[in-house]
Amino acid sequence: MAQRRFSHAIAEGDGISVIVAVDDAQAAQAAESQRAEALVVERDPATVRAATGLPILWRSNVPLEDASKVADAYLLVFESLDDDDGRFEELYGRALELGLDCVVDVRSEDELEEALERADPEIFLLSPREPEGDDTPLERVLDLLASVPAGKLAIADLPHTTPSEIRELERAGVDAVIVRAQDIADLVGGPPPTV
């Protein structure tokens, strides 16, 4: 498996990259035909891997060694590893040793700052799980984005994503957005033309 395929897929090209959350091989093939640049799966991605050449982020609590066999990127949820016991740093380093991109899920500026101090991750998943006050999830992602240092990759994870939100995320400098499989055609304008 090529190293760092996931980060390259979302960093290259102009504009915001679309990462599609899929559950099965059929959804993965549909996402690829509709110009997705990467996929995110929560269950075992082996069948998805067999159906597509797109990079896969495995969003599940599985051993890193298992992830390295079928995925290109691994997700660490910072809030579950925020104790200063060295586990976060150990898992982050091990993911990189195995050739995986390591995406760090953060929900607040404090988590983002601490993750930077402890492991200096290259890719952040901005997850507005707990909006503050009247802030919308989009506003929370944009607030978090302001704390992401230049040169790092930022992925937005919103509960529902509209075309106008994608345009706003792109204008703000978000590198990629996770969308649900059923939403992609509406968000990217349908499948590419056939020749």
Side-chain angles (χ1 to χ4, degrees), residues 168-186:
E168 190 166 348
L169 290 167
E170 184 174 11
R171 279 193 302 272
V174 171
D175 298 288
V177 60
I178 294 176
V179 301
R180 308 307 163 241
Q182 64 273 18
D183 298 338
I184 188 168
D186 294 334

Side-chain angles (χ1 to χ4, degrees), residues 40-157:
V40 60
V41 296
E42 293 191 13
R43 297 187 201 124
D44 184 348
T47 58
V48 172
R49 168 58 70 217
T52 181
L54 291 176
I56 296 172
L57 167 62
W58 197 350
R59 187 179 196 165
S60 183
N61 188 14
V62 296
L64 279 164
E65 286 72 17
D66 293 347
S68 69
K69 295 173 187 168
V70 290
D72 303 283
Y74 187 78
L75 183 74
L76 290 177
V77 179
F78 189 79
E79 72 179 319
S80 67
L81 298 165
D82 64 355
D83 294 335
D84 197 8
D85 59 4
R87 282 185 355 172
F88 172 68
E89 294 87 340
E90 178 185 338
L91 288 170
Y92 183 81
R94 183 72 182 126
L96 298 181
E97 287 173 11
L98 289 168
L100 294 165
D101 277 313
C102 193
V103 179
V104 178
D105 178 313
V106 293
R107 62 190 162 108
S108 70
E109 288 86 355
D110 289 342
E111 285 185 358
L112 194 149
E113 190 174 302
E114 189 175 347
L116 284 165
E117 288 174 11
R118 292 174 55 186
D120 196 25
E122 294 300 315
I123 310 170
F124 286 98
L125 179 67
L126 308 179
S127 296
R129 292 186 297 280
E130 297 174 12
E132 295 176 358
D134 294 330
D135 287 352
T136 67
L138 176 62
E139 290 168 333
R140 286 296 301 139
V141 164
L142 295 174
D143 287 346
L144 280 170
L145 180 65
S147 299
V148 176
K152 307 290 185 184
L153 296 172
I155 303 168
D157 188 16

Side-chain angles (χ1 to χ4, degrees), residues 3-68:
Q3 275 197 327
R4 311 290 184 259
R5 291 181 62 227
F6 182 81
S7 58
H8 289 291
I10 64 173
E12 66 186 9
D14 294 332
I16 194 167
S17 295
V18 175
I19 303 169
V20 181
V22 298
D23 291 324
D24 56 37
Q26 184 178 2
Q29 290 171 334
E32 186 170 19
S33 73
Q34 296 176 38
R35 300 185 298 231
E37 277 125 324
L39 303 172
V40 60
V41 296
E42 293 191 13
R43 297 187 201 124
D44 184 348
T47 58
V48 172
R49 168 58 70 217
T52 181
L54 291 176
I56 296 172
L57 167 62
W58 197 350
R59 187 179 196 165
S60 183
N61 188 14
V62 296
L64 279 164
E65 286 72 17
D66 293 347
S68 69

